[in-house]
Amino acid sequence: MKFSVLTTFFTLVALASAIAIEEYGTPVVRREVLLERQGANENRPVPTGACCVAATSLKEDVCFNNGQSGRCVPDSVNNCGTTLTCIEDSRLTCDAAVLERGRPTCRRTPGA
């Protein structure tokens, strides 16, 4: 099987342009945008940071904190006042038997 130099060149250019160059921290932003487009929080914004969006986020909404996905839950650990707190999934204990807004009810694991 023989390939011309031009065919090989165009193949290499196509492969090079298809490779995504990621910068540190951008995957979280892309996931956030993707989740918003998919309607992860029923078209409410996906919060990024320790506190969820005041008067907008609801319990069990998806959020991002410290580069990890999490949930908006009532907790005072991040000093958010009356606003829901974004707790990373690794620090949550969830009860699949009890649903809240169609998702398992999650709360911060004591001591986490």
Side-chain angles (χ1 to χ4, degrees):
M1 191 181 248
K2 293 183 180 181
F3 294 106
S4 70
V5 175
L6 192 57
T7 304
T8 306
F9 176 73
F10 282 124
T11 303
L12 290 175
V13 169
L15 288 173
S17 65
I19 296 173
I21 299 173
E22 302 262 341
E23 293 179 22
Y24 180 75
T26 56
V28 171
V29 173
R30 290 183 183 163
R31 276 182 287 183
E32 175 186 337
V33 170
L34 180 64
L35 285 170
E36 282 185 22
R37 287 183 185 160
Q38 292 175 341
N41 292 339
E42 297 176 357
N43 298 320
R44 290 182 302 280
V46 176
T48 303
C51 300
C52 296
V53 181
T56 304
S57 295
L58 302 175
K59 283 194 247 179
E60 307 307 327
D61 273 0
V62 175
C63 61
F64 286 97
N65 189 16
N66 297 327
Q68 299 178 35
S69 65
R71 298 277 181 89
C72 294
V73 296
D75 202 322
S76 60
V77 71
N78 291 341
N79 298 322
C80 295
T82 58
T83 306
L84 294 170
T85 303
C86 182
I87 304 290
E88 302 90 343
D89 289 333
S90 60
R91 297 172 52 200
L92 290 173
T93 301
C94 298
D95 184 0
V98 180
L99 295 180
E100 192 166 38
R101 304 200 184 284
R103 296 185 177 132
T105 300
C106 298
R107 295 296 178 260
R108 184 176 58 90
T109 306

